[in-house]
Amino acid sequence: TPCGTSLSPRRFIVMAANGAKLIDGRKLATDLCDEVRTNSVELQSKYGFTPELAIIEVGDHHYGQLLHSLNSLDGPEQVEEIEMKHTNFASLKAKMAERCGMRVQLIRLSANTKEARLLNLIADLMADSNVHGILVELPLPPHIDERRVLQAIGPAKDVDGFSYENF
């Protein structure tokens, strides 16, 4: 399918009152992506606009390193750093949103970005009628107040649902 499939098995067992049920996570994700893409195409054809997502990343979010621990009762005996071949979560989210028929702005800021600059950027994105959703990658650098940043995203554009109004 256009949404693509992963090579990793994504099957989950859900415990129900009458026993366990095997759920195919890959199929669910593909079906959801197809549904979102269909809705995106409908918005484009009926109303002339494409949903747009802004993803903001502040600092180094390269999760391409995996810590592999060999555990004993006393804790890890050995820790190895193994380089992985995929990009960070923000890039993966952007690719998935594009596969689902959305436009994406992936905004990467340096770790020393001032909180005021980040808040101004969010205010600009909130005011931009072409941007329909905003997502901030966590964690933020220690000098930035995460709560203040997340609350600056209005509930209508809060993709993660972290604003107080969305709780």
Side-chain angles (χ1 to χ4, degrees):
T1 70
C3 283
T5 58
S6 168
L7 297 177
S8 66
R10 294 203 174 115
R11 296 186 181 199
F12 305 98
I13 297 176
V14 175
M15 299 305 287
N18 60 351
K21 179 180 177 185
L22 185 63
I23 296 175
D24 186 344
R26 185 180 308 150
K27 180 174 177 358
L28 285 173
T30 300
D31 291 348
L32 180 60
C33 183
D34 289 341
E35 182 181 339
V36 171
R37 185 183 329 89
T38 298
N39 291 334
S40 291
V41 169
E42 184 177 337
L43 285 171
Q44 292 168 29
S45 64
K46 282 186 176 180
Y47 304 105
F49 73 87
T50 302
E52 185 168 323
L53 174 65
I55 301 173
I56 304 170
E57 184 178 64
V58 183
D60 186 16
H61 284 260
H62 295 287
Y63 300 114
Q65 301 293 323
L66 173 67
L67 292 178
H68 177 67
S69 300
L70 301 173
N71 294 316
S72 69
L73 293 176
D74 296 328
E77 293 174 359
Q78 177 182 356
V79 176
E80 295 178 35
E81 194 173 281
I82 301 169
E83 188 162 334
M84 303 298 285
K85 294 185 179 179
H86 62 274
T87 61
N88 65 17
F89 292 128
S91 296
L92 294 173
K93 290 173 187 177
K95 284 180 190 176
M96 182 53 74
E98 287 171 343
R99 286 180 185 153
C100 290
M102 297 179 214
R103 273 189 300 227
V104 179
Q105 290 184 45
L106 181 51
I107 304 163
R108 291 193 162 117
L109 304 172
S110 70
N112 61 1
T113 296
K114 299 211 179 303
E115 183 178 306
R117 179 173 180 219
L118 179 56
L119 291 171
N120 286 336
L121 172 62
I122 291 171
D124 290 345
L125 293 169
M126 286 297 300
D128 186 341
S129 63
N130 292 318
V131 174
H132 304 96
I134 302 170
L135 186 147
V136 176
E137 284 295 306
L138 301 177
L140 292 170
H143 69 279
I144 296 177
D145 183 345
E146 185 175 290
R147 179 195 53 77
R148 183 178 295 163
V149 168
L150 295 176
Q151 295 313 307
I153 302 170
K157 293 188 181 189
D158 182 8
V159 173
D160 283 324
F162 289 151
S163 68
Y164 293 140
E165 293 89 350
N166 284 332
F167 274 120

